Amino acid sequence: MSNNFDIRRARKETIGTNNIIHFNNAGSSLMPLPVSQALHDYLHAEEQFGGYETADKYISLLNGFYDSTAKLLNCSSNEIAYIENATRAWDMAFYAFKFQPGDRILASMAEYGSSVIAYLQQAKNFGVDVIYVPNDEQGQLDTKILANLIDKRVKLISIAHIPTGGGLVNPVMEIGKIAKGAGIPFLLDACQAVGQLHLDVEAIGCDILCGTGRKYLRGPRGTGFLYVRNTLIEKLEPPLLDQHAADLISPTEYRIRQDAKRFENWEQFCAGKVALGKAIEYSLSWGLPAIQKRIYSLADNLRGKLSSIVGVTVTDEGVEQCGIVTFLAKNKDPFTIQATMASHQINVSVSKGAGSLISFSDRNIDAVVRSSVHYYNTEEEIDCFIEVLESLMKTN
Ligand SMILES: *Cc1c(COP(=O)(O)O)cnc(C)c1O
């Protein structure tokens, strides 16, 4: 496998690897040293010099966040907003669409629970119809069905790139082509994809994209971002405005700003912004194609070994599968497996119900074990995980 990946350096810069086997990177990855250092340094500066004064002093570092994110996604800095998490970033764009009764949203089976709630709310309030485009026989969004569903009623194509509860990678390039051809805005929930896959908004053809800091980007919790294509920004009036998003020009008038910062709050977690910028630069320094290759190869290895255990079923769908590895084990509750792993200093999570409701209810799944690997994980860690699981499977 990826021999040229400097795994020793990756682990040296990830101090958590001294304590635990962390297979919960889809939940929240381990921050690498340069990122936690940037976070702590900024907080110390605030402690010593004051929050506003520190922001003034580090203005170029704070602004650097937009340049780094733009580099990551191949867009321009004014198309980026810093938002406290991906859900709120997604909401700020989604709730800016003014849906009318009979309008349609085409979504995927992989949608995140919070998005489903937002669809239901807009359906209730504005009579919009949400259609979950079925998967093809491989378990990824069926692009032929999507193409056939395109008509005048469709106002938005809203897709989860990678679901929270499985290894599926939806065919976003194909979806982007269909959206572009039809002139329909394409909103991409790339939460599990950023930091894991090489993403290029031009190649994908998405118009809006949201991401979170704490997952595969390895940034701090409580950080995220939104990308909105230049040509769409001024058409989308954010559902919430403050005096950063808009200028108050007289007692009776305001003007909404023209860049993506219209979707932001004035008050922000500045240390998080600097640290997320650092995390993005750190990812870029490894190279996203190299990261993706290493993650896919580790996940492949893990899936292969899981499949060879009697009673274990890998539940990942799709042609392309990523670092999120999910499975079920006969007569062993996912929470029991999680607890057993925890007692061996192995972190995995359980994906249950609401987060992946559309997909799980379609497949009659309650919950699965989610072991999500990152590039700093190793084959030795996978073997250790498999050993623990094998001995658990031998117990009654
Ligand atoms: C985690 C996740 C989200 C939400 O991200 P937050 O930063 O927690 O708001 C959205 N979609 C998917 C697919 C996710 O995995």
Side-chain angles (χ1 to χ4, degrees):
M1 58 183 290
S2 359
N3 302 321
N4 48 4
F5 203 95
D6 191 351
I7 184 66
R8 283 191 47 204
R9 185 193 134 207
R11 291 180 74 78
K12 216 171 105 209
E13 292 176 353
T14 308
I15 59 170
T17 57
N18 296 326
N19 315 315
I20 44 160
I21 294 178
H22 192 64
F23 287 176
N24 191 12
N25 295 287
S28 187
S29 188
L30 300 174
M31 269 188 276
L33 277 169
V35 174
S36 64
Q37 196 64 52
L39 184 68
H40 292 144
D41 287 352
Y42 193 93
L43 289 172
H44 281 140
E46 283 188 335
E47 185 183 0
Q48 290 174 288
F49 304 112
Y52 286 36
E53 295 72 13
T54 299
D56 285 344
K57 189 169 161 195
Y58 291 108
I59 187 71
S60 63
L61 212 53
L62 287 159
N63 285 336
F65 162 81
Y66 299 97
D67 302 328
S68 303
T69 311
K71 213 190 308 168
L72 180 75
L73 301 176
N74 186 30
C75 64
S76 76
S77 307
N78 64 10
E79 295 174 307
I80 297 295
Y82 173 63
I83 299 182
E84 62 266 37
N85 58 58
T87 303
R88 192 44 45 93
W90 188 96
D91 285 342
M92 289 302 281
F94 176 73
Y95 283 98
F97 284 88
K98 297 196 169 58
F99 296 110
Q100 308 285 329
D103 283 353
R104 283 187 163 182
I105 300 169
L106 301 183
S108 73
M109 301 293 290
E111 292 313 282
Y112 191 61
S114 298
S115 308
V116 176
I117 291 171
Y119 299 145
L120 291 172
Q121 191 190 27
Q122 293 301 71
K124 177 168 68 95
N125 291 340
F126 300 105
V128 54
D129 293 324
V130 182
I131 296 168
Y132 298 101
V133 180
N135 288 333
D136 63 18
E137 59 285 356
Q138 324 270 9
Q140 59 180 13
L141 182 134
D142 192 322
T143 51
K144 280 198 204 79
I145 298 182
L146 176 74
N148 285 331
L149 281 166
I150 300 293
D151 63 25
K152 286 211 160 55
R153 291 172 291 183
V154 180
K155 293 293 158 25
L156 180 67
I157 296 176
S158 178
I159 304 291
H161 196 161
I162 294 172
T164 194
L168 162 72
V169 180
N170 263 323
V172 292
M173 304 271 230
E174 280 300 305
I175 296 167
K177 260 185 225 135
I178 294 166
K180 213 176 204 173
I184 297 166
F186 175 16
L187 163 54
L188 184 63
D189 168 1
C191 240
Q192 296 291 1
V194 280
Q196 178 171 196
L197 273 60
H198 172 68
L199 295 182
D200 176 335
V201 294
E202 288 310 317
I204 295 170
C206 59
D207 303 295
I208 306 165
L209 179 151
C210 71
T212 200
R214 73 182 185 282
K215 295 179 180 172
Y216 277 90
L217 278 175
R218 310 183 66 195
R221 295 197 64 174
T223 62
F225 63 82
L226 178 69
Y227 153 80
V228 181
R229 189 176 290 281
N230 257 325
T231 48
L232 202 57
I233 293 174
E234 289 192 56
K235 293 184 187 145
L236 292 179
E237 185 178 330
L240 303 167
L241 292 171
D242 70 4
Q243 55 189 359
H244 164 77
D247 282 328
L248 189 57
I249 44 186
S250 82
T252 56
E253 293 162 281
Y254 64 85
R255 192 185 304 121
I256 306 177
R257 27 183 332 150
Q258 295 177 327
D259 58 14
K261 290 193 182 75
R262 62 167 53 194
F263 301 102
E264 290 187 347
N265 294 318
W266 184 81
E267 175 57 4
Q268 305 181 341
F269 177 29
C270 294
K273 190 179 199 173
V274 167
L276 179 53
K278 187 75 187 180
I280 290 170
E281 287 298 332
Y282 189 75
S283 285
L284 289 167
S285 79
W286 287 99
L288 270 302
I291 288 174
Q292 176 175 342
K293 189 170 159 223
R294 163 113 188 139
I295 292 174
Y296 276 33
S297 131
L298 286 170
D300 241 32
N301 177 318
L302 176 53
R303 273 189 204 100
K305 285 176 178 154
L306 280 170
S307 310
S308 70
I309 303 177
V310 178
V312 171
T313 314
V314 173
T315 48
D316 301 319
E317 300 180 290
V319 178
E320 181 179 340
Q321 298 187 337
C322 69
I324 301 178
V325 179
T326 59
F327 64 93
L328 287 166
K330 202 171 164 209
N331 300 327
K332 296 285 179 286
D333 181 78
F335 289 101
T336 306
I337 297 175
Q338 183 187 31
T340 304
M341 291 300 164
S343 73
H344 287 85
Q345 285 74 50
I346 302 172
N347 296 340
V348 296
S349 60
V350 176
S351 278
K352 50 185 185 309
S356 308
L357 193 79
I358 303 296
S359 163
F360 280 18
S361 56
D362 184 57
R363 291 189 283 157
N364 236 328
I365 293 174
D366 276 337
V368 295
V369 183
R370 182 181 71 177
S371 42
S372 44
V373 294
H374 215 318
Y375 60 78
Y376 64 79
N377 291 125
T378 61
E379 286 165 349
E380 290 73 27
E381 287 181 323
I382 289 175
D383 290 341
C384 183
F385 169 86
I386 292 291
E387 223 171 273
V388 174
L389 184 62
E390 274 175 334
S391 48
L392 175 68
M393 293 305 285
K394 286 183 194 128
T395 63
N396 294 311

